[in-house]
Amino acid sequence: MSLHELEKLGDQALLVAYANGSPKATVVLTKRLMPKIFAQAFHRLQSITDAEDVTQESFLRLWMIAPKWRKDEAKVTTWLYRVVENLCTDRLRKRPTVGLEGLPEIIDVKPSAMSVLGTQEQIKALHKALRKLPDRQRQAVQMRHLDEFSNPEIAQTLKTSVEGVESLISRGKQKLRILLAGNQIVLGDQDETL
Amino acid sequence: MKHSDQKSELHLETLFTQARKEVPSPSKALLDQILRNAQVQSQSKTRNRIHARTKQILHKINFLHNLDWIASIIGLTGATAFGLFFGIIIPGLETEIFKFLGLIPDITIDFMDPFEGLDFSYLE
């Protein structure tokens, strides 16, 4: 089978082809998924080295599970997403935590306060604020706005409904706006389940 | 949604867009490493499959060896051949051999006259 024909196959079909010994399928699948996996890891970890390590580890686990992959299991992208999330969470736990206190002090509580920071600092502030959200809100917001998953895909990954995803995103973004405005309101709700 | 909320929503969307653009491209070295890992895993599984199959064959050979398999096969083959020979090719041959060996008497009983051949003259 040529590369052109392999590129038309879905992720699961390519994974099965790899398990059956097709090196071309490996190349097509890796080139297709690697940028997204790397981006997801980089958004979480904000470090190229760590993101590459996590990406490599995630694919290694995929190759190991390939012979046992069942068609009725989750989609390859969903499965990989969960692996990357877990690996990133482990790495972040091992890092010394720097809370929002590490940011330059913002006295003005107006939303325009963020404009005093440069773009890079604003993006760092965004990522740190994301880590302050309850887990499911954070995952929903990151998957939608950083990883660019669709709402149905997010719903499948988080095992909730599309309406549930929309609610998580809405509340997550509301809290982000408050956090980024420099208003240190204690978040009342913890990790929400829907 | 209030005007201020819309503004902050727009600002947040802008931040997300910038954050997406800030992601560097993964290096070619990473791609090469991932493909190498895939190849190693694939070869490892092939080796394991061959190893398992070889072990099965060796186990069977060892089992037969423990049964003194050569003698067993020769004996079984011989017994099968003789059985077929006697039972199918020359039926009744075993009877003639047994008669020759004296294992059975060389007489024929006539069931219509069971006393045929017997001498009853002493009764007269």
Side-chain angles (χ1 to χ4, degrees):
Chain A
M1 206 179 257
S2 68
L3 274 173
H4 180 65
E5 285 166 337
L6 283 169
E7 279 164 5
K8 293 179 186 173
L9 295 179
D11 296 340
Q12 283 203 11
L14 287 172
L15 191 62
V16 169
Y18 158 74
N20 290 332
S22 166
K24 286 182 189 173
T26 318
V27 173
V28 172
L29 188 61
T30 305
K31 284 185 174 177
R32 184 187 294 178
L33 296 179
M34 192 182 76
K36 206 163 184 176
I37 298 301
F38 177 80
Q40 181 191 345
F42 184 79
H43 285 309
R44 306 296 184 273
L45 301 170
Q46 293 294 294
S47 158
I48 296 174
T49 311
D50 287 348
E52 288 196 340
D53 286 347
V54 165
T55 306
Q56 191 182 324
E57 176 66 28
S58 303
F59 272 97
L60 182 60
R61 294 186 184 198
L62 184 66
W63 305 142
M64 287 168 71
I65 205 168
K68 303 171 203 166
W69 190 271
R70 292 187 312 222
K71 280 185 186 176
D72 54 353
E73 275 203 50
K75 288 166 62 174
V76 175
T77 45
T78 308
W79 186 88
L80 270 174
Y81 172 84
R82 290 194 195 126
V83 169
V84 172
E85 275 294 301
N86 290 337
L87 289 172
C88 289
T89 303
D90 286 345
R91 289 219 168 209
L92 285 170
R93 276 196 194 126
K94 290 171 187 171
R95 277 188 194 170
T97 51
V98 178
L100 284 171
E101 300 78 30
L103 290 175
E105 190 178 327
I106 301 169
I107 300 165
D108 190 346
V109 296
K110 291 177 188 170
S112 60
M114 278 296 292
S115 61
V116 302
L117 301 176
T119 305
Q120 288 295 324
E121 285 78 15
Q122 286 185 50
I123 293 171
K124 281 183 187 173
L126 171 66
H127 285 294
K128 286 181 179 171
L130 278 166
R131 287 202 282 272
K132 283 285 183 180
L133 295 182
D135 277 348
R136 284 175 72 79
Q137 285 181 13
R138 175 187 56 77
Q139 285 176 326
V141 171
Q142 281 177 327
M143 287 183 80
R144 185 72 187 89
H145 290 285
L146 293 177
D147 305 327
E148 298 186 284
F149 281 83
S150 67
N151 283 356
E153 287 174 322
I154 299 170
Q156 191 186 37
T157 305
L158 298 184
K159 294 181 182 172
T160 185
S161 62
V162 172
E163 292 76 23
V165 168
E166 290 166 356
S167 174
L168 284 169
I169 291 172
S170 172
R171 278 182 284 168
K173 286 169 73 175
Q174 192 180 5
K175 283 173 189 163
L176 274 179
R177 283 195 291 271
I178 294 169
L179 284 170
L180 291 172
N183 198 338
Q184 297 289 323
I185 291 174
V186 174
L187 299 174
D189 45 344
Q190 298 304 309
D191 186 13
E192 299 181 23
T193 52
L194 285 175
Chain B
M1 198 186 264
K2 294 178 194 174
H3 178 68
S4 57
D5 287 341
Q6 284 176 341
K7 242 184 125 176
S8 62
E9 174 67 20
L10 186 62
H11 180 69
L12 193 56
E13 291 297 331
T14 306
L15 271 183
F16 281 130
T17 305
Q18 285 170 344
R20 284 196 300 271
K21 286 181 185 171
E22 286 294 318
V23 177
S25 300
S27 64
K28 183 155 189 319
L30 176 62
L31 173 66
D32 293 342
Q33 184 60 51
I34 290 171
L35 293 175
R36 266 198 300 275
N37 289 345
Q39 194 182 16
V40 166
Q41 282 300 310
S42 186
Q43 286 169 351
S44 169
K45 287 180 190 71
T46 305
R47 272 201 302 275
N48 287 344
R49 270 201 300 269
I50 292 171
H51 182 63
R53 184 76 188 124
T54 307
K55 272 182 79 174
Q56 279 180 0
I57 292 169
L58 284 174
H59 181 71
K60 283 177 186 168
I61 291 173
N62 197 41
F63 178 71
L64 291 171
H65 176 74
N66 288 340
L67 290 178
D68 198 6
W69 62 280
I70 296 173
S72 304
I73 289 174
I74 290 173
L76 283 168
T77 309
T80 307
F82 274 111
L84 286 170
F85 181 71
F86 289 128
I88 297 172
I89 296 169
I90 307 179
L93 177 62
E94 73 281 7
T95 308
E96 297 302 318
I97 291 174
F98 290 149
K99 282 182 190 173
F100 175 76
L101 293 173
L103 295 175
I104 55 173
D106 189 11
I107 57 170
T108 308
I109 297 174
D110 182 358
F111 285 97
M112 298 304 292
D113 183 6
F115 299 110
E116 187 181 339
L118 291 173
D119 182 11
F120 290 107
S121 60
Y122 69 92
L123 294 172
E124 291 171 2

